[in-house]
Coordinates of all heavy atoms in Angstrom, one line a residue:
M1 N 5.0 -29.7 -6.0 CA 5.0 -28.1 -6.2 C 4.3 -27.9 -7.5 O 4.7 -28.3 -8.5 CB 6.4 -27.6 -6.2 CG 6.4 -26.1 -6.4 SD 8.2 -25.7 -6.2 CE 7.9 -24.1 -5.5
R2 N 3.2 -27.0 -7.4 CA 2.4 -26.7 -8.6 C 3.2 -25.6 -9.4 O 3.9 -24.8 -8.7 CB 1.0 -26.3 -8.3 CG 1.0 -24.9 -7.6 CD -0.5 -24.7 -7.3 NE -0.4 -23.3 -6.8 CZ -1.2 -22.3 -7.0 NH1 -2.6 -22.7 -7.5 NH2 -1.3 -21.2 -6.6
K3 N 3.1 -25.6 -10.6 CA 3.6 -24.6 -11.4 C 2.6 -23.3 -11.5 O 1.4 -23.6 -11.8 CB 3.9 -25.1 -12.9 CG 4.7 -24.2 -13.7 CD 5.0 -24.9 -15.0 CE 5.9 -24.0 -15.9 NZ 6.4 -24.6 -17.1
V4 N 3.2 -22.2 -11.3 CA 2.4 -21.0 -11.4 C 2.6 -20.2 -12.6 O 3.9 -19.9 -12.7 CB 2.6 -20.0 -10.1 CG1 1.9 -18.9 -10.1 CG2 2.2 -20.9 -8.8
A5 N 1.6 -19.8 -13.4 CA 2.0 -19.0 -14.5 C 2.4 -17.6 -14.1 O 1.8 -17.0 -13.2 CB 0.7 -19.0 -15.4
K6 N 3.2 -17.0 -14.8 CA 3.6 -15.7 -14.6 C 2.5 -14.7 -15.2 O 2.4 -14.8 -16.5 CB 4.9 -15.3 -15.1 CG 6.0 -15.9 -14.3 CD 6.1 -15.3 -13.0 CE 7.3 -15.8 -12.1 NZ 7.3 -15.4 -10.7
L7 N 1.9 -13.9 -14.5 CA 0.7 -13.1 -15.0 C 1.1 -11.7 -15.2 O 0.5 -10.9 -15.8 CB -0.4 -13.1 -14.0 CG -1.1 -14.5 -13.8 CD1 -2.1 -14.4 -12.7 CD2 -1.6 -15.0 -15.1
G8 N 2.3 -11.2 -14.8 CA 2.6 -9.8 -14.9 C 3.0 -9.2 -13.5 O 3.1 -9.8 -12.6
R9 N 3.3 -7.8 -13.6 CA 3.7 -7.1 -12.5 C 2.6 -6.3 -12.0 O 1.9 -5.6 -12.9 CB 5.0 -6.2 -12.8 CG 6.2 -7.1 -13.0 CD 7.4 -6.2 -13.3 NE 7.7 -6.2 -14.7 CZ 8.7 -5.6 -15.3 NH1 9.3 -4.8 -14.6 NH2 8.8 -5.7 -16.6
I10 N 2.6 -6.2 -10.7 CA 1.6 -5.2 -10.1 C 2.4 -4.4 -9.1 O 3.4 -5.0 -8.5 CB 0.3 -5.9 -9.4 CG1 0.7 -6.9 -8.4 CG2 -0.5 -6.5 -10.7 CD1 -0.4 -7.5 -7.9
A11 N 1.9 -3.3 -8.8 CA 2.5 -2.4 -7.8 C 1.7 -2.5 -6.5 O 0.6 -2.5 -6.6 CB 2.6 -0.9 -8.3
A12 N 2.4 -2.3 -5.4 CA 1.8 -2.4 -4.0 C 2.3 -1.1 -3.3 O 3.5 -0.9 -3.3 CB 2.1 -3.6 -3.2
A13 N 1.4 -0.2 -3.0 CA 1.8 1.0 -2.3 C 2.4 0.7 -1.0 O 1.7 0.0 -0.1 CB 0.7 1.9 -2.1
W14 N 3.7 1.0 -0.7 CA 4.2 0.7 0.6 C 4.6 2.0 1.3 O 5.1 2.9 0.9 CB 5.5 -0.1 0.3 CG 5.9 -1.1 1.3 CD1 6.8 -1.1 2.2 CD2 5.2 -2.3 1.4 NE1 6.7 -2.2 3.0 CE2 5.7 -3.0 2.5 CE3 4.1 -2.8 0.7 CZ2 5.3 -4.2 3.0 CZ3 3.6 -4.1 1.3 CH2 4.2 -4.7 2.3
L15 N 4.1 2.0 2.7 CA 4.2 3.1 3.5 C 5.2 2.9 4.5 O 5.3 1.8 5.1 CB 2.8 3.4 4.0 CG 1.6 3.4 3.1 CD1 0.2 3.8 3.9 CD2 1.8 4.4 2.0
R16 N 5.8 4.0 4.9 CA 6.9 3.8 6.0 C 6.3 4.1 7.3 O 5.3 4.9 7.5 CB 7.9 4.9 5.6 CG 8.7 4.7 4.4 CD 9.9 5.7 4.4 NE 9.4 7.0 4.2 CZ 9.2 7.7 3.2 NH1 9.5 7.2 2.0 NH2 8.7 9.0 3.1
E17 N 6.8 3.3 8.3 CA 6.3 3.4 9.7 C 6.4 4.8 10.2 O 5.6 5.3 10.9 CB 7.0 2.3 10.5 CG 6.4 2.4 11.9 CD 7.0 1.1 12.7 OE1 8.0 0.5 12.4 OE2 6.5 0.9 13.8
E18 N 7.6 5.5 9.9 CA 7.8 6.8 10.5 C 6.7 7.8 10.0 O 6.6 8.9 10.7 CB 9.3 7.3 10.3 CG 9.6 7.4 8.9 CD 10.3 6.2 8.3 OE1 10.2 5.1 8.8 OE2 11.0 6.2 7.2
D19 N 6.2 7.5 8.9 CA 5.1 8.4 8.3 C 3.7 8.1 8.8 O 2.9 8.8 8.5 CB 5.1 8.3 6.7 CG 6.3 8.9 6.1 OD1 7.0 9.6 6.7 OD2 6.6 8.5 4.9
W20 N 3.6 7.0 9.6 CA 2.3 6.5 10.0 C 1.2 7.6 10.6 O 0.3 7.7 10.2 CB 2.4 5.3 10.8 CG 1.2 4.5 10.7 CD1 0.1 4.3 11.6 CD2 0.6 3.8 9.6 NE1 -1.0 3.5 11.2 CE2 -0.7 3.2 9.8 CE3 1.0 3.6 8.2 CZ2 -1.4 2.6 9.0 CZ3 0.3 2.9 7.3 CH2 -0.8 2.4 7.6
P21 N 1.9 8.4 11.6 CA 1.1 9.4 12.2 C 0.4 10.4 11.2 O -0.7 10.7 11.3 CB 2.0 10.1 13.3 CG 3.0 9.1 13.7 CD 3.2 8.3 12.3
R22 N 1.2 10.7 10.2 CA 0.7 11.7 9.2 C -0.3 11.0 8.4 O -1.3 11.7 7.9 CB 2.0 12.0 8.3 CG 1.7 13.2 7.3 CD 1.3 14.5 7.9 NE 1.1 15.4 7.0 CZ -0.2 16.0 6.7 NH1 -1.1 15.9 7.4 NH2 -0.1 16.9 5.7
W23 N -0.2 9.7 7.9 CA -1.1 9.1 7.2 C -2.4 9.0 8.0 O -3.6 9.1 7.3 CB -0.7 7.6 6.8 CG 0.3 7.5 5.8 CD1 1.5 7.1 5.9 CD2 0.2 7.8 4.4 NE1 2.3 7.2 4.8 CE2 1.4 7.6 3.8 CE3 -0.8 8.4 3.6 CZ2 1.7 7.9 2.4 CZ3 -0.5 8.6 2.3 CH2 0.6 8.4 1.7
L24 N -2.5 8.9 9.2 CA -3.6 8.8 10.1 C -4.3 10.2 10.1 O -5.6 10.2 10.2 CB -3.3 8.4 11.4 CG -2.8 6.9 11.7 CD1 -2.5 6.6 13.1 CD2 -3.9 5.9 11.2
E25 N -3.5 11.2 10.0 CA -4.1 12.6 9.9 C -4.8 12.8 8.7 O -5.8 13.5 8.7 CB -3.0 13.6 10.1 CG -2.4 13.7 11.4 CD -1.2 14.7 11.4 OE1 -0.9 15.4 10.3 OE2 -0.4 14.8 12.5
L26 N -4.4 12.2 7.6 CA -5.0 12.3 6.3 C -6.3 11.7 6.2 O -7.2 12.1 5.4 CB -4.0 11.9 5.2 CG -2.7 12.7 5.1 CD1 -1.9 12.2 4.0 CD2 -3.1 14.1 4.7
D27 N -6.4 10.5 6.7 CA -7.5 9.7 6.6 C -7.8 8.8 7.8 O -7.0 7.9 8.2 CB -7.4 8.8 5.3 CG -8.6 8.0 4.9 OD1 -9.6 8.0 5.7 OD2 -8.7 7.5 3.8
S28 N -8.9 9.1 8.4 CA -9.3 8.4 9.7 C -9.7 6.9 9.5 O -9.8 6.1 10.3 CB -10.4 9.1 10.5 OG -11.6 9.0 9.5
N29 N -9.8 6.5 8.1 CA -10.2 5.1 7.8 C -8.8 4.3 7.7 O -8.9 3.0 7.6 CB -10.9 5.0 6.5 CG -12.3 5.6 6.6 OD1 -12.9 5.4 7.6 ND2 -12.7 6.3 5.5
F30 N -7.7 4.8 7.9 CA -6.6 4.0 7.8 C -6.4 3.1 9.0 O -7.0 3.3 10.0 CB -5.2 5.0 8.0 CG -4.6 5.2 6.6 CD1 -5.2 6.0 5.7 CD2 -3.4 4.6 6.3 CE1 -4.6 6.3 4.5 CE2 -2.7 4.9 5.1 CZ -3.3 5.8 4.2
Q31 N -5.8 1.9 8.8 CA -5.6 0.9 9.9 C -4.9 1.8 11.0 O -3.9 2.5 10.8 CB -4.6 -0.1 9.3 CG -4.0 -1.0 10.3 CD -5.0 -2.2 10.8 OE1 -5.9 -2.6 10.0 NE2 -4.9 -2.5 11.9
R32 N -5.4 1.7 12.2 CA -4.9 2.4 13.4 C -3.5 2.2 13.7 O -2.8 3.1 14.1 CB -5.8 2.2 14.5 CG -7.3 2.6 14.4 CD -7.4 4.0 13.8 NE -6.9 5.0 14.5 CZ -6.6 6.3 14.0 NH1 -7.1 6.6 12.8 NH2 -6.2 7.3 14.7
D33 N -3.0 0.9 13.5 CA -1.6 0.7 13.9 C -0.8 0.2 12.6 O -1.3 -0.5 11.9 CB -1.5 -0.3 15.0 CG -2.1 -1.7 14.7 OD1 -3.2 -1.8 14.4 OD2 -1.2 -2.6 14.7
Y34 N 0.4 0.6 12.6 CA 1.2 0.2 11.4 C 1.5 -1.2 11.4 O 1.4 -1.8 10.3 CB 2.6 0.8 11.5 CG 3.6 0.6 10.4 CD1 3.4 1.2 9.2 CD2 4.6 -0.3 10.5 CE1 4.2 1.0 8.1 CE2 5.4 -0.6 9.4 CZ 5.2 0.1 8.2 OH 5.9 -0.2 7.2
A35 N 1.7 -2.0 12.6 CA 2.0 -3.4 12.6 C 0.8 -4.1 11.9 O 1.0 -5.1 11.2 CB 2.2 -3.9 13.9
G36 N -0.4 -3.7 12.2 CA -1.7 -4.4 11.7 C -1.7 -4.2 10.2 O -2.1 -5.1 9.4
W37 N -1.4 -3.0 9.8 CA -1.4 -2.8 8.2 C -0.4 -3.6 7.6 O -0.6 -4.2 6.5 CB -1.0 -1.2 8.1 CG -0.9 -0.9 6.5 CD1 -2.0 -0.6 5.7 CD2 0.3 -0.8 5.9 NE1 -1.4 -0.3 4.4 CE2 -0.1 -0.5 4.5 CE3 1.6 -1.0 6.2 CZ2 0.8 -0.3 3.5 CZ3 2.6 -0.7 5.2 CH2 2.2 -0.5 3.9
R38 N 0.8 -3.7 8.2 CA 1.9 -4.6 7.6 C 1.5 -6.1 7.5 O 1.7 -6.6 6.4 CB 3.3 -4.6 8.4 CG 4.0 -3.3 8.1 CD 4.6 -3.5 6.6 NE 5.3 -4.6 6.4 CZ 6.6 -4.8 6.5 NH1 7.3 -3.8 6.9 NH2 7.2 -5.8 6.1
V39 N 0.7 -6.6 8.6 CA 0.4 -7.9 8.3 C -0.6 -8.1 7.2 O -0.5 -9.0 6.4 CB -0.4 -8.3 9.8 CG1 -1.2 -9.6 9.5 CG2 0.7 -8.5 10.9
K40 N -1.6 -7.2 7.1 CA -2.6 -7.2 6.0 C -1.8 -7.1 4.6 O -2.1 -7.9 3.7 CB -3.6 -6.2 6.1 CG -4.6 -6.5 7.2 CD -5.6 -5.3 7.3 CE -6.7 -5.6 8.5 NZ -7.6 -4.6 8.5
M41 N -0.9 -6.2 4.5 CA -0.2 -6.0 3.2 C 0.6 -7.1 3.0 O 0.8 -7.6 1.7 CB 0.6 -4.7 3.3 CG -0.2 -3.4 3.3 SD -1.3 -3.3 1.7 CE 0.0 -3.1 0.6
D42 N 1.4 -7.6 3.8 CA 2.2 -8.8 3.7 C 1.4 -10.1 3.2 O 1.8 -10.8 2.2 CB 3.0 -9.2 4.9 CG 4.2 -8.3 5.2 OD1 4.6 -7.7 4.2 OD2 4.5 -8.3 6.4
E43 N 0.2 -10.3 3.7 CA -0.8 -11.3 3.3 C -1.2 -11.1 1.9 O -1.3 -12.0 1.0 CB -1.9 -11.5 4.2 CG -1.5 -12.0 5.6 CD -2.7 -12.0 6.7 OE1 -3.8 -11.4 6.4 OE2 -2.5 -12.5 7.7
A44 N -1.5 -9.8 1.6 CA -2.1 -9.5 0.1 C -1.1 -9.6 -0.8 O -1.3 -10.2 -1.9 CB -2.6 -8.1 0.2
V45 N 0.2 -9.4 -0.5 CA 1.3 -9.5 -1.4 C 1.6 -11.0 -1.6 O 1.8 -11.5 -2.8 CB 2.6 -8.8 -1.0 CG1 3.8 -9.2 -1.7 CG2 2.4 -7.2 -1.0
A46 N 1.6 -11.7 -0.6 CA 1.9 -13.2 -0.7 C 0.8 -14.0 -1.6 O 1.1 -14.7 -2.4 CB 1.9 -13.9 0.6
K47 N -0.5 -13.5 -1.5 CA -1.5 -14.0 -2.2 C -1.4 -13.8 -3.7 O -1.6 -14.6 -4.5 CB -3.0 -13.5 -1.7 CG -3.4 -14.2 -0.5 CD -4.8 -13.7 -0.1 CE -5.2 -14.1 1.3 NZ -6.3 -13.5 1.7
R48 N -0.9 -12.6 -4.1 CA -0.7 -12.3 -5.4 C 0.5 -13.0 -5.9 O 0.3 -13.4 -7.2 CB -0.6 -10.7 -5.5 CG -1.8 -10.0 -5.8 CD -2.4 -9.1 -4.9 NE -3.7 -8.6 -5.0 CZ -4.3 -8.6 -3.9 NH1 -4.0 -9.1 -2.7 NH2 -5.6 -7.9 -3.8
I49 N 1.5 -13.2 -5.2 CA 2.6 -13.9 -5.7 C 2.2 -15.4 -5.9 O 2.7 -15.9 -6.9 CB 3.8 -13.7 -4.7 CG1 4.4 -12.4 -4.6 CG2 4.9 -14.8 -4.9 CD1 5.3 -12.1 -3.5
E50 N 1.5 -15.9 -5.1 CA 1.0 -17.3 -5.1 C 0.2 -17.5 -6.5 O 0.2 -18.5 -7.1 CB 0.1 -17.7 -4.0 CG 0.9 -18.0 -2.7 CD -0.1 -18.3 -1.5 OE1 -1.2 -18.5 -1.8 OE2 0.4 -18.3 -0.5
K51 N -0.6 -16.4 -6.9 CA -1.3 -16.4 -8.2 C -0.5 -16.3 -9.4 O -1.0 -16.4 -10.5 CB -2.4 -15.5 -8.1 CG -3.6 -15.7 -7.1 CD -4.5 -14.7 -7.1 CE -5.7 -15.1 -6.1 NZ -6.8 -14.2 -6.3
G52 N 0.7 -16.0 -9.3 CA 1.7 -15.7 -10.3 C 2.1 -14.4 -10.8 O 2.8 -14.1 -11.7
Y53 N 1.7 -13.4 -9.9 CA 2.2 -12.0 -10.1 C 3.5 -11.7 -9.5 O 3.8 -12.2 -8.6 CB 1.1 -11.0 -9.6 CG -0.3 -11.0 -10.2 CD1 -1.3 -11.8 -9.6 CD2 -0.4 -10.3 -11.4 CE1 -2.5 -11.7 -10.3 CE2 -1.6 -10.3 -12.0 CZ -2.7 -10.9 -11.5 OH -3.9 -11.0 -12.0
T54 N 4.2 -10.7 -10.2 CA 5.5 -10.3 -9.5 C 4.9 -9.0 -8.9 O 4.2 -8.1 -9.5 CB 6.4 -9.9 -10.7 OG1 6.8 -11.2 -11.3 CG2 7.7 -9.2 -10.0
V55 N 5.2 -8.9 -7.6 CA 4.8 -7.5 -6.9 C 6.0 -6.8 -6.6 O 6.9 -7.2 -6.1 CB 4.1 -8.0 -5.5 CG1 3.6 -6.8 -4.8 CG2 2.9 -9.0 -5.8
I56 N 5.6 -5.4 -6.9 CA 6.7 -4.4 -6.8 C 6.2 -3.6 -5.7 O 5.2 -2.9 -5.8 CB 7.0 -3.6 -8.1 CG1 7.5 -4.7 -9.2 CG2 8.1 -2.6 -7.9 CD1 7.5 -4.1 -10.5
K57 N 7.0 -3.5 -4.5 CA 6.6 -2.6 -3.6 C 7.1 -1.2 -3.8 O 8.3 -1.0 -4.0 CB 7.2 -3.1 -2.1 CG 6.6 -4.5 -1.7 CD 7.3 -4.9 -0.5 CE 6.7 -6.3 -0.1 NZ 7.5 -6.9 1.1
V58 N 6.2 -0.3 -3.9 CA 6.6 1.1 -4.3 C 6.4 2.0 -3.0 O 5.3 2.1 -2.5 CB 5.7 1.6 -5.4 CG1 6.0 3.1 -5.7 CG2 5.8 0.8 -6.6
D59 N 7.6 2.6 -2.6 CA 7.5 3.4 -1.5 C 6.7 4.7 -1.8 O 7.1 5.5 -2.7 CB 8.9 3.9 -1.1 CG 9.2 4.7 0.2 OD1 8.4 4.3 1.0 OD2 10.0 5.5 0.3
V60 N 5.7 5.0 -1.0 CA 4.9 6.3 -1.3 C 5.0 7.2 -0.1 O 4.7 6.8 1.1 CB 3.4 5.8 -1.3 CG1 2.5 6.9 -1.5 CG2 3.2 4.7 -2.4
G61 N 5.6 8.3 -0.4 CA 5.8 9.3 0.6 C 4.5 10.2 0.7 O 3.6 10.4 -0.1
V62 N 4.2 10.7 2.0 CA 2.9 11.4 2.2 C 2.8 12.7 1.3 O 1.8 12.9 0.6 CB 2.9 11.9 3.7 CG1 1.8 12.7 4.1 CG2 2.9 10.7 4.6
V63 N 3.9 13.5 1.2 CA 3.9 14.7 0.4 C 3.7 14.4 -1.1 O 3.0 15.0 -1.7 CB 5.3 15.5 0.7 CG1 5.3 16.7 -0.3 CG2 5.3 16.0 2.1
D64 N 4.4 13.3 -1.4 CA 4.1 13.0 -2.9 C 2.7 12.5 -3.2 O 2.2 12.9 -4.4 CB 5.3 11.9 -3.4 CG 6.7 12.5 -3.4 OD1 6.8 13.5 -3.6 OD2 7.5 11.6 -3.2
F65 N 2.2 11.7 -2.3 CA 0.9 11.2 -2.4 C -0.1 12.3 -2.5 O -1.0 12.4 -3.2 CB 0.5 10.3 -1.3 CG -0.8 9.8 -1.3 CD1 -1.3 8.8 -2.3 CD2 -1.9 10.2 -0.4 CE1 -2.6 8.3 -2.3 CE2 -3.1 9.8 -0.4 CZ -3.6 8.8 -1.3
M66 N 0.0 13.3 -1.6 CA -0.8 14.5 -1.6 C -0.8 15.3 -2.9 O -1.8 15.8 -3.4 CB -0.5 15.3 -0.4 CG -0.9 14.7 1.0 SD -0.4 15.6 2.4 CE -1.2 17.2 2.2
A67 N 0.4 15.5 -3.4 CA 0.6 16.1 -4.7 C 0.0 15.4 -5.7 O -0.7 16.0 -6.7 CB 2.1 16.4 -5.0
W68 N 0.2 14.1 -5.8 CA -0.5 13.3 -6.8 C -2.0 13.3 -6.8 O -2.7 13.5 -7.8 CB -0.1 11.8 -6.7 CG -0.7 10.9 -7.6 CD1 -0.4 10.7 -9.1 CD2 -1.8 10.1 -7.4 NE1 -1.2 9.9 -9.6 CE2 -2.2 9.4 -8.7 CE3 -2.8 9.8 -6.4 CZ2 -3.2 8.5 -8.8 CZ3 -3.8 8.9 -6.5 CH2 -4.0 8.4 -7.7
C69 N -2.5 13.3 -5.7 CA -4.0 13.4 -5.4 C -4.5 14.8 -6.0 O -5.5 14.9 -6.7 CB -4.5 13.3 -4.0 SG -4.4 11.6 -3.4
N70 N -3.7 15.9 -5.7 CA -4.1 17.2 -6.0 C -4.1 17.3 -7.7 O -5.0 17.8 -8.2 CB -3.1 18.3 -5.5 CG -3.5 19.5 -5.8 OD1 -4.6 19.9 -5.8 ND2 -2.5 20.5 -6.1
V71 N -3.0 16.9 -8.3 CA -2.9 16.9 -9.7 C -3.9 16.1 -10.5 O -4.5 16.3 -11.4 CB -1.4 16.4 -10.2 CG1 -1.4 16.2 -11.6 CG2 -0.4 17.5 -9.7
S72 N -4.3 14.8 -9.8 CA -5.2 13.9 -10.3 C -6.6 14.2 -10.1 O -7.5 13.5 -10.6 CB -4.9 12.6 -9.9 OG -3.6 12.1 -10.2
G73 N -6.8 15.2 -9.3 CA -8.2 15.6 -8.9 C -8.9 14.5 -8.0 O -10.0 14.3 -8.0
R74 N -8.2 13.8 -7.1 CA -8.5 12.8 -6.2 C -8.6 13.3 -4.8 O -7.8 14.1 -4.5 CB -7.7 11.5 -6.3 CG -7.7 10.9 -7.7 CD -6.7 9.7 -7.7 NE -6.7 9.2 -9.0 CZ -7.4 8.0 -9.3 NH1 -8.2 7.5 -8.4 NH2 -7.4 7.4 -10.6
K75 N -9.5 12.7 -4.1 CA -9.7 13.0 -2.6 C -8.5 12.3 -2.0 O -8.1 11.2 -2.5 CB -10.9 12.5 -2.2 CG -11.2 12.7 -0.7 CD -12.6 12.2 -0.3 CE -12.7 12.5 1.1 NZ -14.0 11.9 1.6
V76 N -7.9 12.9 -1.0 CA -6.7 12.3 -0.2 C -7.3 11.3 0.8 O -7.8 11.6 1.8 CB -5.8 13.4 0.6 CG1 -4.9 12.7 1.4 CG2 -5.4 14.4 -0.5
D77 N -7.4 10.1 0.4 CA -7.9 9.0 1.3 C -7.5 7.6 0.9 O -6.7 7.5 -0.1 CB -9.5 9.1 1.3 CG -10.1 8.7 0.0 OD1 -9.4 8.4 -0.9 OD2 -11.4 8.9 -0.2
T78 N -7.9 6.6 1.6 CA -7.3 5.2 1.3 C -7.8 4.7 -0.1 O -7.1 3.8 -0.6 CB -7.8 4.2 2.5 OG1 -9.3 4.3 2.4 CG2 -7.3 4.6 3.8
N79 N -8.8 5.2 -0.7 CA -9.4 4.8 -1.9 C -8.4 5.3 -3.1 O -8.4 4.6 -4.1 CB -10.8 5.2 -2.1 CG -11.7 4.5 -1.2 OD1 -11.7 3.4 -0.9 ND2 -12.7 5.2 -0.8
S80 N -7.7 6.4 -2.7 CA -6.9 7.0 -3.9 C -5.6 6.1 -3.9 O -5.0 6.0 -4.9 CB -6.7 8.3 -3.7 OG -7.8 9.1 -3.8

């Protein structure tokens, strides 16, 4: 077993399945199905953990995200 250096903590935006239809309304570039998104996110998190990061999944609500985009002057999309 190789030793992995601890590099620090990073946050991963975690979206709830029940909010998925609303996310799709906000941005047509979203992964069309929640299950597919989860697979990609789980893989991305696992890769960061393998590299030595601690990953913190942060629950992101649609309303809070929209408010943050508005306050931050960001477009409501997957890049934000």
Side-chain angles (χ1 to χ4, degrees):
M1 179 179 214
R2 73 179 188 151
K3 188 172 184 174
V4 177
K6 288 291 180 186
L7 298 175
R9 291 184 255 180
I10 58 174
W14 216 251
L15 312 178
R16 293 183 301 262
E17 185 171 11
E18 61 267 20
D19 293 337
W20 205 250
R22 184 70 175 115
W23 287 113
L24 292 175
E25 290 174 10
L26 294 177
D27 189 345
S28 61
N29 291 322
F30 261 68
Q31 169 80 31
R32 298 311 305 163
D33 65 299
Y34 182 79
W37 176 82
R38 275 297 302 267
V39 167
K40 288 181 180 182
M41 287 300 292
D42 287 337
E43 290 171 355
V45 166
K47 286 179 185 178
R48 271 118 188 131
I49 291 170
E50 286 175 11
K51 290 182 178 185
Y53 290 98
T54 298
V55 178
I56 300 166
K57 295 176 182 176
V58 179
D59 185 38
V60 178
V62 176
V63 174
D64 291 335
F65 176 73
M66 291 172 58
W68 176 81
C69 286
N70 186 41
V71 168
S72 302
R74 295 178 182 262
K75 185 177 177 184
V76 178
D77 63 12
T78 54
N79 294 321
S80 296

